[in-house]
Amino acid sequence: MKRIIYKVSLLILLFSISSCKKWLTLQPQDGIIRNEFWKTKEDVQAAVIGCYSSLLGAPTGIKDRALVDYLFMWGELRADMVSPGPGMSVDEQNIMIVNILSSNPITSWKSLYRTINYCNTVIDFAPDVKKVDNTFTQASLDAYMAEALALRSLMYFYVVRTWGDAPLKLKSTSTDQEIQNLGITEKATILNQIVADLLKAESLAAVTYGNKQYDTGRITKYTIETMLADVYLWMEKYNDCILMCDKVIDSKKFSLVPGAIMYNNVFFTGNSTEGIFEFQFDAQKLNPFYAMFAPVSRRLNASPNVLEAIYTQDFVNDLNVDRRGLHAAVRPGDNMIYKYMGVDYNTSRTPDISYAHWFAYRYPDVLLMKAEACAQVGRGQDALDLVKVVRDRAGALIATERKPDVADKDGIADYILEERAREFSFEGKRWYDILRNAKRDNYRRLDLILGMVSEAVPSDLQQSAIVKYRDKNSHYLPIFDDEISADQTLKQNPFYK
Amino acid sequence: MNKIFTRISTLLLTLLLMWSTGYGQTITTVRGKVTDSKDKQTIIGASVVEVDKDRRTVNGVSTDIDGNYVLRISNPNNKIMVSFIGYNTQREISINGRTIINIQLVPSTNNLDDVTVVARRKTNNGTGMNVDDRDRTTAVATIDAKVLEEMQAGSIDQALQGRLSGVDIAATSGDPGAGMSIKIRGTSSLNGATEPLIVVDGMPYETSVPEGFNFATADDQGYAQLLNIAPSDIKDISVLKDAAATALWGSRGSNGVLIINTKRGSIGKPQISYTFKGSLSQQPSAIPMLTGDQYSMLIPEEFMNRNGVPLNTQTVKEFQYDPQDLYWYKNYSNNTDWISAVSRTGNLQDHNISISGGGEKARYFASLGYFGQQGTTIGTDLSRITTRINLDYNVSNRLRFRTDIAYTHVLNNQLYSNVRDVAYSKMPNMGIMEYNDYGLLTPNYFSPASNIQGYFYFDDKNAIKGTYNPVAMAMAATNRSLGDRIIPHFNLQYDIVKDLLMATTDVVFDINTQKTSTFLPQIATGRPFTEITVNRATDLDYDVFNVGTKTNLLFTPHLNDKHKLQALMSFQTADNRYVNQNVMNANTASSLFQDPSIPGRTQNDQIKLGSVQTQYRTVAGLVNANYGFLDRYFISGSLRLDGNSRFGENNRFGLFPSLSTRYRISGERFMQRFKFIDDLSFRFSYAQSGNAPKKDYTFYNTYGNFDWSYMGISGVYTQNMELTNLKWETVHGVNYGLSFALFNSRVVGDAEIYRNRTKDLFLPGLRLATYTGFDAVDMNIGTMDNQGWEFNINTQVVKSKKWRVDFSFNIAQNQNMIREISPLYPTENKAKINENGKFKQFLQVNNPFGSFYGFKFQGVYKDREETVATDKNGAPILNPNGDKVYMRFNYPATDYIFQPGDAKYEDINHDGTIDYKDIVYLGNSNPKFTGGFGPSITFNGNIKLSAFFSYRTGYQLINGTKMNTTNMYGYGNQSTAVLRRWRNEGDVTDVPRALYGSGYNWLGSSRYVEDGSYLKWRTVTLRYDFDKQFLKRVKLNALSIYGTGENLITFTKYLGQDPEVGTKITDAFSIAIDNSMTPPPKVITIGISTRF
């Protein structure tokens, strides 16, 4: 009797130990693990689309603002076209009045690097899929790689324009063994990396995905060329910039939408013939703009200056309007930023249809970038012609017309800068446009930034803002404190030390 | 799962085989008469059974109307046994070839009422070994549930507050169904899992819900009903405190173990007990807030102070007060007390009826309870039904079964959103009900879509933000949880070799389901119908299915008197599955359509379907032995192998040893002359135990779907990084203990000194440079100590025939400090000292947690002259032009010039600017001593008065409530303290001027730091047991009534609501901030308990 029990228990024990290991191996049932992903071309596509999805918002479980919220603030708060709304936070206000501290969470770059990591994941793992999936062609792999490279470059371009020197991470983070301190990379090195990646992507990219929505929502060869033009312009390589702009123009894929239908077509519906790259918000994923611009306690208003000085009004004939201004960029009366909030002239969006796209690049950008480059290489007339095309389409008012001499580089550049303010109002480009012009030829035009202070900063703080802006390093945001404490090798921008 | 069944069935089969071996013997007949030994009356219906040598029943009959019986005996060597309710059982009468056996039974009535326990109290660490209390080698505290039964408490943890040294229990909120946090000896982990393991009747009891359960508005409060054992079912509770004691429970026990034993039946006729408790509770008057009139004076002034622009009351009509504009005038000219509008008197009733009894073979305990509570906030209530059946069946002397089944049903109405917080800040000039355009009162709640205070919204993570009408929210919105939990527990004990080797097997199933439905009607928030916050309905279901098994082999050899030895081998498994599903939709056509099954809008990234499925498993093997020599030297050792599915393959198993000893010096010959010493022992223990992370599957790199598609295509992203480096967090516990019993055990006590050193400290969410794509990672980051001491004494001060006075006292201290830390761990907290309301903290290795730093508050600048910066000698600082320099804030980065009426902070370094160089040490939130004491006085054996006090001394608290109610920074209502604010040049006061959204008047400073020491009279109870004569007249066995008062008085210098603030240690920067707006309710309870 006893022996039986001993034997039985011994058996149970042996059986248990041998199967323990197996018993303890559990896999998640509501997600997929890496070893089982990256098996088919559909997996690659899903991962590439994931990179785009991250442009619309932070994934569930991550506490962060949407990327476009940051893009708007980085591109507009320090410039002269927005004014504080009643719901503006102290952090936002501080950026606006040039009281920027490294403790300000708006200086966090995590939303950009999150997308960069998703792109890196594709770049690291997609090539191996070809070995397992025979139906995965080299051409489609190339196209996916081009998208990931280009999107990563776009993110780095925001990084380098906003922070200057920054960490450069080109490998994905997929295990905790890969955590290491990166330190800071010079902005020139980052820019070179961006150019190299974009050129590689240009050679691999698809020309079209079959319909206009996909071509605007995803990155095509032309998107990459537009980005390259922008990067070259920033790097003051004007001939390269013109070359890229011409590639896009000569493709004949894009055209300006006529002024009469422009607002509805370009901004309300989206994916118009002038759209080059737009972040595709839709009914399922709304943009964060309603809360930012619409309710009583909105965070941001248009500055009164926008209608008064940038677009100007024709007080004789009130039907004569710049189509980009009144009831398009700004709603008069309450100065609501209307670009993302309107359905048409009179009707504004309700929160459930707040899905205006984010316009990363539109065709006028190509034209005006080319104009800006032309002006710098002595092709003043070409530049003025291009500006005229953009102005004529929108019916720009006579009051905003300038007649600089074809040889007056600065005069033309200023004119283009003004036109860009009208064309790309509230598209997150204003600060970068000013900075690009100001820093040209070793900060020859620092006055552009200093001049803007009188519009953007309350009078009692203007002097201190001007003093700060005289230091070139202050044009870049500080590295957020959390980053520095997590990686001690990151060197803070000397202005904020 | 399969394996468990295989194991059980193998065992059952084995038993069946043994059963059948008893048959096939010769048959004889025995007859006789059963009578009462006293009055010689025959006994009808007594059971007469034939038992074999193991006392297994072979055959049995009952006596007839004349007390006669006839029993056919299958084996003449067997014995017979006679039993009847109310009589002592006649055991094992040898037959010896007799055919007539007359039996006399002795009545046992006396025994039923006065059970005298002669055996020494034993401590069962839950694993199966029973060790004499006086021989145990570890730190354990036990409390008899009787002590707690007079308090109004839905759950036993509430009643335990302050009773045991080193056990810290705090409520998360005062609403019905709110959870408690239990901490034993501080926190040895930053894992987030700081709750102790709860073991009920020898098996672990799940009290946590897996991660991922954070849907809609469900938050911590949703888990409250997890420990839903009716307090009256509990027999005793032991707390295993030192690592050596908890080591037997392995990884889940590293935060301490709470052992709960429920009542079981005992031999005797059925006893029915009934207990009733009823109580009334009231929120004491809270912080006095401004009335509507005072508030509407404050806000325009506050707004104008900002930059001199007056508040435009033409557009901000909330402050217009124009009787011509009837709608705005009527709705915004009230003096509403929002707090009393959402408060009421709470009540509670708790009924419990139980029956217990049994005979030689079977014993039972069954109970049925109803608990109903109405909270002190409107819209909150809880009702619960609990049932329990504990059955014991002795098949034979060697084989015993136990079957326990517990079932609980809970219905809990909670708040959709924490209305009390909103009620405090809600503008008091607003009305509760809406007036229409003609100035007539309507029956609708006044819920404007938005006003100057803002509007209601969900942030992008679905948390409630903004403001709303709190009465409308409490009354119109629903958040109802319905829970069912059933726990069947089967236990089998078999003596393989009698009195030497015993095997037990336990299987416990735990089936726990909960459904929470919420609905947010339009009227609760007033938002327009186009928004997805309107008529938002959610359903959340979760199902937990746990299976735990434990197989023990207990070896108890009887050596000679000098040696005591017990050894245990145990094999334990647990399998825990969790599934949850949730549905949300919005914009149903009417506020009466409250179920998400009704079509509404579903397409949005906030509104969605979701589900979570997780599973984890653990296995453990344990070897444990206790050895005692000469009643003086005791040693116990164990070795535990833990396996956990939450680790990757390399680190899946951990081996954790423990060793504990006890030396009873009082047993030595040279101590014999100290006659007053009954026991004096030293104890020492050392143990390791492993702690596993809280999350499942972290060692995989998982890919998940975005909640939204991009142009109709689904996108996938990498959700985490693979945690290949993650390993067991190991707690190395050392405990030195001293136990004593003096003067015939009239003075009994323990003292303990301990240190729990956590190596490979596991930190979830270690801040990571975000260029990795992630902002946090879970990592083993360093070493943390959790150390302290405890002292505990119980005395019988007076013991005479009439009087008995007992007094108990406990005191403890606990500290956490970091010994070693990864360089990735931040050295200071995130708070920015140049922002309002923030305190600075620094991580200093080898120093206790909890110190905080800030500015020194010196009052308010009364005029312009006072804001002039001065140097060390008090002379004004001049600039190069010879002009006076005024005090600035954070020059040059912020460069704000202090104005008259601003808060004045001490310029420590006299540089004319207040910045981080001026912060000083302000306090420490580590209490020096914590504990409790209380007398208990018994008169005549049946009138008992007992009281209990708890205290905490020597620490500072940050009065967050004061900060929030006096900052005059936003549009929220403020306390009446702001009535003495600075207004005009020359005013001397301690409250700065009102300044909307700007200035630096409420920086983290000494203004908000207060001494938090307190002494709290927690309970007092008067109990009366009716005497025997009275009981005989009313035919009852026992009857007592009692009355209890709780939270009567708090003695403290602290000016806030309640100095008892729990510090939840989640990182090295955890400090105590009191944000409570309401002190704990005062409660009066009356109760009856009876037995018949």
Side-chain angles (χ1 to χ4, degrees), chain A residues 154-170:
Chain A
L154 180 65
M155 296 299 119
Y156 271 122
F157 191 38
Y158 277 112
V159 169
V160 81
R161 283 182 293 173
T162 314
W163 286 270
D165 301 343
L168 181 63
K169 191 158 189 331
L170 302 172

Side-chain angles (χ1 to χ4, degrees), chain A residues 57-63 118, chain B residues 214 460-461 605 608 705-708 717 719:
Chain A
T60 312
I62 295 175
K63 279 205 160 74
Y118 299 149
Chain B
N214 54 357
D460 48 357
K461 299 300 167 224
D605 69 304
K608 61 196 170 194
N705 255 357
F706 270 96
D707 282 346
W708 55 87
Y717 68 106
Q719 289 175 310

Side-chain angles (χ1 to χ4, degrees), chain A residues 371-496:
Chain A
E372 197 172 322
C374 283
Q376 297 302 319
V377 294
R379 292 167 58 185
Q381 192 53 51
D382 290 348
L384 290 172
D385 292 347
L386 284 163
V387 175
K388 189 168 183 324
V389 172
V390 174
R391 284 177 62 84
D392 287 353
R393 179 280 290 260
L397 298 183
I398 204 92
T400 60
E401 196 177 326
R402 306 273 179 274
K403 296 206 167 73
D405 188 87
V406 287
D408 178 6
K409 276 189 194 177
D410 286 354
I412 300 175
D414 286 354
Y415 188 26
I416 295 170
L417 183 61
E418 282 174 25
E419 198 53 43
R420 288 186 67 92
R422 283 186 281 275
E423 182 64 39
F424 306 115
S425 53
F426 311 116
E427 291 182 32
K429 290 179 183 279
R430 178 66 176 162
W431 168 258
Y432 299 122
D433 287 346
I434 292 172
L435 180 57
R436 183 177 65 237
N437 279 284
K439 76 176 186 63
R440 183 167 292 145
D441 303 335
N442 204 12
Y443 281 93
R444 202 161 50 76
R445 296 301 311 280
L446 188 63
D447 61 300
L448 287 174
I449 292 183
L450 302 183
M452 192 187 60
V453 166
S454 64
E455 272 311 321
V457 182
S459 52
D460 55 332
L461 296 168
Q462 281 174 10
Q463 275 315 310
S464 84
I466 286 173
V467 172
K468 287 175 189 171
Y469 273 151
R470 283 194 196 281
D471 186 337
K472 291 174 291 192
N473 288 318
S474 74
H475 304 157
Y476 297 97
L477 293 181
I479 297 174
F480 187 41
D481 281 343
D482 282 7
E483 308 292 334
I484 303 244
S485 67
D487 176 357
Q488 311 277 354
T489 64
L490 288 175
K491 272 213 302 277
Q492 181 61 284
N493 180 334
F495 178 77
Y496 301 99

Side-chain angles (χ1 to χ4, degrees), chain A residues 1-2 4-6 8 12-13 15-16 19-21 23-34 37-38 45-47 49-65 86 90-91 93 99 101 103 109-110 113-114 117-118 121 125 167 169 173-177 179-183 213-214 217-218 277-280 282-286 290-291 295-297 350-352 468 480-483 485-488 490, chain B residues 1 3-4 6-7 10-11 14 18 306 450 454-455 460-461 494 496-497 501 527 530-531 569 571 573-575 601 603-606 608 611-619 643-646 649 652-653 697 699-704 706-726 767-775 777-779 823-826 830 832 834-835 890 892-895 969 996-997 1000:
Chain A
M1 198 50 237
K2 274 181 211 167
I4 293 173
I5 290 183
Y6 288 140
V8 168
I12 290 171
L13 206 71
F15 180 56
S16 311
S19 56
C20 257
K21 240 183 163 166
W23 199 66
L24 288 177
T25 307
L26 296 173
Q27 281 193 5
Q29 292 156 46
D30 46 7
I32 185 161
I33 62 174
R34 187 177 69 235
F37 196 72
W38 302 116
Q45 174 180 310
I49 293 297
C51 300
Y52 290 110
S53 304
S54 70
L55 301 175
L56 309 186
T60 312
I62 295 175
K63 279 205 160 74
D64 197 8
R65 304 182 192 219
V90 179
D91 291 328
Q93 187 118 26
N99 175 19
L101 302 179
S103 59
W109 56 37
K110 64 180 173 185
Y113 278 103
R114 196 161 46 234
N117 186 47
Y118 299 149
T121 309
F125 294 104
K169 191 158 189 331
T173 315
S174 37
T175 91
D176 57 355
Q177 285 165 321
I179 299 172
Q180 50 178 344
N181 290 342
L182 271 187
Q213 188 198 4
Y214 284 6
R218 291 173 68 173
F277 185 37
E278 297 174 8
F279 296 2
Q280 307 276 325
D282 58 19
Q284 203 188 34
K285 179 60 188 170
L286 303 174
Y290 190 83
V296 186
S297 57
T350 47
D352 54 314
K468 287 175 189 171
F480 187 41
D481 281 343
D482 282 7
E483 308 292 334
S485 67
D487 176 357
Q488 311 277 354
L490 288 175
Chain B
M1 209 37 248
K3 213 154 356 84
I4 297 165
T6 326
R7 238 175 277 149
T10 319
L11 230 115
T14 325
M18 288 161 23
R306 181 191 201 183
S450 74
Y455 61 99
D460 48 357
K461 299 300 167 224
Y494 181 69
I496 299 168
V497 181
L501 192 61
R527 299 301 299 160
T530 46
E531 283 186 13
M569 234 171 75
F571 179 74
T573 69
D575 184 355
R601 188 178 349 177
Q603 197 194 39
N604 190 286
D605 69 304
Q606 284 181 43
K608 61 196 170 194
S611 87
V612 173
Q613 276 189 51
T614 59
Q615 181 178 22
Y616 78 89
R617 288 171 170 162
T618 59
V619 293
N644 194 309
S645 68
R646 283 174 174 167
E649 255 175 69
R652 191 161 285 158
F653 290 93
Y697 315 125
F699 54 95
Y700 292 114
N701 179 193
T702 49
Y703 284 68
F706 270 96
D707 282 346
W708 55 87
S709 64
Y710 189 76
M711 299 190 295
I713 317 173
S714 287
V716 161
Y717 68 106
T718 162
Q719 289 175 310
N720 63 337
M721 58 184 101
E722 187 177 295
L723 300 180
T724 22
N725 290 337
L726 204 63
R767 197 189 296 166
L768 193 61
T770 60
Y771 55 67
T772 53
F774 301 96
D775 47 14
V777 66
D778 303 349
M779 233 190 226
L824 283 175
Y825 197 79
K830 269 186 154 184
K832 315 294 184 274
N834 50 28
E835 287 173 11
N890 199 21
T894 307
D895 198 10
Y969 194 74
Y996 174 73
Y1000 298 92

Side-chain angles (χ1 to χ4, degrees), chain B residues 198 250 405 461 470 496 539 543 555 661 710 775-776 782 891 972 1041:
Chain B
I198 291 177
I405 294 176
K461 299 300 167 224
I496 299 168
D539 255 10
D543 296 285
F555 180 60
T661 60
Y710 189 76
D775 47 14
Y891 176 85
I1041 57 168

Side-chain angles (χ1 to χ4, degrees), chain B residues 586-734:
Chain B
N587 298 146
T588 56
S590 150
S591 293
L592 298 173
F593 292 154
Q594 301 206 341
D595 196 89
S597 63
I598 295 160
R601 188 178 349 177
T602 53
Q603 197 194 39
N604 190 286
D605 69 304
Q606 284 181 43
I607 291 179
K608 61 196 170 194
L609 300 168
S611 87
V612 173
Q613 276 189 51
T614 59
Q615 181 178 22
Y616 78 89
R617 288 171 170 162
T618 59
V619 293
L622 169 76
V623 192
N624 179 205
N626 282 324
Y627 171 68
F629 178 61
L630 285 177
D631 197 38
R632 290 207 283 276
Y633 313 102
F634 301 91
I635 184 162
S636 167
S638 75
L639 196 61
R640 183 176 164 114
L641 178 75
D642 267 306
N644 194 309
S645 68
R646 283 174 174 167
F647 287 104
E649 255 175 69
N650 304 333
N651 301 318
R652 191 161 285 158
F653 290 93
L655 193 63
F656 306 102
S658 86
L659 180 77
S660 53
T661 60
R662 179 178 186 132
Y663 170 45
R664 174 170 296 122
I665 193 166
S666 60
E668 297 285 1
R669 198 158 293 151
F670 60 86
M671 291 294 289
Q672 300 300 332
R673 56 202 150 118
F674 301 108
K675 288 274 187 281
F676 64 95
I677 299 178
D678 303 323
D679 183 16
L680 181 66
S681 304
F682 298 104
R683 281 178 282 111
F684 165 78
S685 74
Y686 169 79
Q688 291 179 14
S689 69
N691 201 355
K694 229 180 152 186
K695 283 188 234 160
D696 295 310
Y697 315 125
T698 52
F699 54 95
Y700 292 114
N701 179 193
T702 49
Y703 284 68
N705 255 357
F706 270 96
D707 282 346
W708 55 87
S709 64
Y710 189 76
M711 299 190 295
I713 317 173
S714 287
V716 161
Y717 68 106
T718 162
Q719 289 175 310
N720 63 337
M721 58 184 101
E722 187 177 295
L723 300 180
T724 22
N725 290 337
L726 204 63
K727 53 186 175 222
W728 290 89
E729 172 182 282
T730 318
V731 179
H732 300 249
V734 181

Side-chain angles (χ1 to χ4, degrees), chain B residues 996-1038:
Chain B
Y996 174 73
S998 61
Y1000 298 92
N1001 285 340
W1002 53 292
L1003 292 168
S1005 73
S1006 53
R1007 182 180 170 197
Y1008 305 110
V1009 178
E1010 294 178 28
D1011 183 355
S1013 307
Y1014 70 86
L1015 169 65
K1016 194 179 247 187
W1017 189 355
R1018 190 173 286 286
T1019 65
V1020 59
T1021 302
L1022 182 64
R1023 184 184 180 106
Y1024 180 72
D1025 298 326
F1026 288 88
D1027 57 23
K1028 290 253 156 57
Q1029 270 113 18
F1030 176 80
L1031 292 176
K1032 258 192 186 150
R1033 273 214 306 281
V1034 294
K1035 304 225 160 80
L1036 287 174
N1037 277 335

